[in-house]
Structure formats: C-alpha cells, structure tokens
Amino acid sequence: MEFMEGSEPVSPTGQYFNNSVLSVSIICVLESEVPINDAHSISLLNDVFLPINPRFSSVMVTDEKGDKQWKRVEVKVEDHVNVPIFPAGLSPTSYDEYLDDYLSNMAMDRLPQNKPLWEIHIFKYPTSNAAGNVIFKLHHSLGDGYSLMGALLSCLQRADNPSAPLTLPSRPNSEPKSDNRSAWTRVPQIFRLIFYSLSDFGWSMLKSTLVEDDQSPIRSEDEGAEYRPITISTMTFSLDRIKHIKDKLRTLTTNDVITGIIFLGTRLYMQEISHKSSKAHSTALVLLNTRMIRTYKSVKEMVEPDSESPWGNRFAFLHVSIPKFKDAESLDPLEFVWEAHKIIKRKRSSFGLHLTSRLLEIMKKFRGPEATAKYIHGTLRKSSMSISNMVGPAEKVALANHPIKGLYFMTVGPPQNLTITIVSYMGNVRVTAGIEKGFLDPQKFKSCMENAFEMMLKAASIETLI
C-alpha cells in the first residue's frame, strides 16, 4: 500500500465491527430495468463514489500507541470491481440460482484488510426480477445504514429528470408534548423511568452474557453461524396497504406495523415447523438510529464537524421479545403490532440504551475493543434474529442512466441464523431475509410472511367495523 498524508481515528463501533471476533458488512443490491453497460463504471467510481467520504479511500491501521486509524491510500478502483462470468443463454430462473449462490459466497467472504473496505459486483445476467444487478458490499465500520444510504443517494439521479434534485426521504418526527403538570404529580413518572431504565439495562446485560433464547426453528444454538452459507430471500409489500393498517389502528407508526407483520410471520413459521416452538422464548434485536434528526442530509452536511446528523455508526440494539401464541384458535394478529409498539416505545424512552453505551465505553477503555466485540458478539448470538429498517427513495432513481427497478440490502457477518432487513422504495416495502441454508426453509418462511400480511389486513378491516 502507498500511504497518503492524513489520518482519522476509527470510532469505537467501527473497531467493534472489524476485528478477529466480528466482521460485519452490508450488501446492497440495485436491480436494473435495462441490461447493464459497465463501460463507465471506473470513471463513475473515481469521480462520484470515492469523493463522498475519505473512508472509501482509507484502510484501517494500528498506530504506535495501539489505536486504530483510518489511513488514506492510493486506490486502484479496478481492484474493487468484480464482473462474474457465467454460462450464456440460460433462463432467468437459472440465473436466479447463480445470483443466490454468488450473494451467499460474497456474504461469507471477509473484505481484505489491505485495501479500502468496499467492493462493487456487476451481475450482468437477466434474473426473474431484473435485467441486471449492481451489488455494493461495504464494511459496517465505514458507517451505519443511515450514512451508507446517504452515500448511495449521492450516486443516484432521478430517473424522470436527472438534472432535478433527488427528493431525500424522511420520516415524520412528532414534536414533544408540553407537560404542564406540577413536579409532584410527575414523581411517579420519574420513578417509572428510573425503574424501566435499570430494568432494560440489566436485561440487556443478561441477554449478552448469561440468558440465551430457546432453541427453535429460527435459532440453532450452534456456534459459527456467521461462517455458514445463507440464502437471501425478498418479498414486496405495498406501502399504501401497510399505511392503511396503521391508519385503521391509529396512534401507531408504519414501523410498528411492519415489525408486527414480521413477528407474526416468524411465529407462524415456527409453529409450522414445530408446534411447541410457538411458545419458545425468542428475542429480536431491533436496530435503532440514535441520531436526533430523522431526515436524510446530504453527505456534505454529514461530514461537517458539528453536524446534527453525523456520518458514522450511530445506532443501538433494542431487545424485543417476539410475542407468543396464546391460543392459536383465537389468534388476534393485531396483538403482534400492539405488543411491538408498546415494547419499542417504552425502551426508546428509557435510559437503558445510554447506560449500555456507557458500559461499552468503559469495557473498551479497560479491556480493549476485542473484548467489547466479544460482548457484542454474545448479544447477537444469544438472540434469535435482528431487524433493521431503512427509508429509501420515494421516486424512481437511476444509476449512470440505468433505471433502478428495485433495491434491497442485507447485513452479513452477525452470528445469527436469521436476519431481517426492510427498505422502502417507490411506494413499496422490500422485506429481505438472510436465512442460513439447510436450517431454515426460505420458501416456507416467505409464505408465512405473506400470510401474516394478509391476516393483518383482514384483522384491521374487522377492527374498523367493530
């Protein structure tokens, strides 16, 4: 490597996600409407992608004090671009299998440490969903989903009018309500806050060290799940229909409904595989963006020193118990939505996340980043699944004049048998499941998710009539 001047300290989270214990990356797939012409890919990466952030031109090194630093290097873009070759003239379903195997192999391979931690893969063969696929693989130490989605948006243009600015997606943020009650009447609320904060913090510690989820059809208890091949399965739901459910139930958010659908679909799958597992104790790690702002900012704004939406890894894990089937015959699908809403709302408002963050800082200071990474590894391994959600573009976008038909992403490298990701795009919600091959049944899992969605729609309509 030829080093250049300038370095930047690696954030603690960046160190936790890139070491001998844990290596987590994000795979993002853009489905092209037209056959891919990669003639200008190198110039596009040099002129548009690399200038987004210095980390795309940096490697992680250890300085003389033992601290991790991002060190700038000369980048040979050609070394980061991969164009796989497969037999020509096959059917789209055959290329579906090639793409699935290719993504599975990509998920298992760690990014090399001797060059910047990203790759581009151009799959030029027509599949059932697209005329071609452009695949980004970016290491999680470069930034979280918020940062990397912002970087992706910087590379895209509006498909209908490339010269017009791309509408940056946002999520509504309710204003805090003023509390005119006296200090005395707020005492019970303060005590509840303290109790829930300590309870959430204590439960998080137990779940990361001693208490494991039950073995179930979605959790094998075997070590080394991060090293085994996966199948990436996607399903698409109408955002308008999800909002219809939300509106019928009032007071809830779109994320509450989506999370409830995933919880219900997961329990349906578990019960189909093993009836007794419908009572198994299973926990989902729900990733929460801890930035105060909920609107995407431009990359230029993210890298400003005092940015309110800074680049980097700013997220936390919420331990959310997947509701159990109380009585299969009198099952109310909406209970899964209400339960998800209640737990997530309460945990977001407590100080448990801040206490856990402080614990990780203390652990890193006295025991080092590797020991802290082992703690996070335990947090992931002892739970049954993780769920992360991103808001994508509301309008059709294009990459280098290639209209994007659909997009999805997957987090790879966590020691779990099941990972769920969600992204919205053009009025649809794409739910993607990273499923360990040979352990979960991807077709049955997808069918259960679709059944859960239909059950939720039907139940919401009945609730309205009542």
Side-chain angles (χ1 to χ4, degrees), residues 254-267:
T254 303
N255 282 347
D256 291 333
V257 176
I258 297 172
T259 305
I261 292 169
I262 291 171
F263 283 173
L264 175 58
T266 301
R267 280 294 181 190

Side-chain angles (χ1 to χ4, degrees), residues 17 38 109 134 166 169 196 253 270 294 296 331:
F17 281 163
D38 60 343
D109 291 339
V134 179
L166 185 66
Y196 284 135
T253 67
M270 293 169 68
R294 304 182 76 189
Y296 283 109
L331 172 65

Side-chain angles (χ1 to χ4, degrees), residues 99-117:
L99 178 61
D100 178 63
D101 290 340
Y102 192 78
L103 291 174
S104 180
N105 291 331
M106 188 192 307
M108 288 190 296
D109 291 339
R110 287 196 172 195
L111 288 164
Q113 298 292 310
N114 61 348
K115 59 183 181 181
L117 298 171

Side-chain angles (χ1 to χ4, degrees), residues 213-323:
D213 279 2
D214 294 336
Q215 184 177 1
S216 72
I218 64 170
R219 182 174 185 269
S220 68
E221 288 189 333
D222 293 338
E223 297 277 356
E226 64 268 41
Y227 304 115
R228 293 193 284 271
I230 65 171
T231 292
I232 297 179
S233 178
T234 72
M235 54 217 85
T236 303
F237 303 112
S238 165
L239 184 57
D240 285 341
R241 298 181 79 186
I242 291 174
K243 288 181 177 178
H244 171 76
I245 300 173
K246 175 183 75 74
D247 294 340
K248 294 298 182 183
L249 301 181
R250 304 177 181 89
T251 71
L252 301 185
T253 67
T254 303
N255 282 347
D256 291 333
V257 176
I258 297 172
T259 305
I261 292 169
I262 291 171
F263 283 173
L264 175 58
T266 301
R267 280 294 181 190
L268 290 173
Y269 173 82
M270 293 169 68
Q271 183 172 255
E272 280 204 23
I273 300 298
S274 171
H275 184 75
K276 65 178 182 180
S277 70
S278 61
K279 300 289 186 180
H281 175 69
S282 301
T283 305
L285 288 177
V286 179
L287 272 69
L288 172 69
N289 179 10
T290 58
R291 294 172 177 82
M292 296 302 295
I293 193 167
R294 304 182 76 189
T295 303
Y296 283 109
K297 296 295 184 181
S298 67
V299 172
K300 182 179 178 181
E301 291 174 292
M302 286 188 202
V303 297
E304 290 177 353
D306 298 320
S307 173
E308 59 181 353
S309 56
W311 182 284
N313 282 287
R314 303 296 179 95
F315 68 91
F317 292 118
L318 293 180
H319 285 92
V320 181
S321 295
I322 303 174

Side-chain angles (χ1 to χ4, degrees), residues 30 32 34-39 121-125 131-134 402:
L30 304 181
S32 177
V34 299
I36 296 176
N37 179 1
D38 60 343
H121 300 256
I122 303 175
F123 191 92
K124 301 175 74 170
Y125 302 90
N133 293 267
V134 179
H402 291 71

